Amino acid sequence: MIELVYVSRAKQHFEEPQLLELLEQARANNTASGITGLLLYDNKGTFIQALEGNDEQVDSLYEKILQDTRHSNLSRISRRAIETRTFPDWKMGFKLVDLTSLKSASGFSQYMQDQDSVIDSQNAKGLAIELLNYFKHSDNSL
């Protein structure tokens, strides 16, 4: 079993109906494939997603995501073997990121607020994992 985390930019802004449609489709597909995970969206075009499940299923889904024309600047942050799922009950948990609520999160960074910021992949991995863990334990996650 693996966990794969990636970051991408939406080519256009996602409104609530588009996000709901995306989540409904992801949850149906993930249920059929045995994939669980979490999707974060900052309402400015940045997605961070964690996928976990069977190696072949997760890799196949990631290949489809790479071909999805709604994404740009897609970057895999990590892919690692795991023994247990971080999100075992979430066919696709979702959180709309309110950056003001993140200031109390360990590892908070101004990165997502500053369009000109550039960070190396090692720091990006830390930021993504911190965000995912923060929202996993947040009462506001769906």
Side-chain angles (χ1 to χ4, degrees), residues 109-127:
S109 169
Q110 293 291 112
Y111 174 71
M112 291 174 69
Q113 292 186 28
D114 184 357
Q115 295 298 324
D116 297 324
S117 290
V118 177
I119 57 178
D120 63 56
S121 62
Q122 191 64 17
N123 288 335
K125 179 178 179 180
L127 172 62

Side-chain angles (χ1 to χ4, degrees), residues 17 31 33 39 47 51 100 106 112 138 140:
T31 298
S33 300
L39 176 66
F47 284 101
L51 302 168
T100 59
S106 169
M112 291 174 69
S138 168
N140 296 323

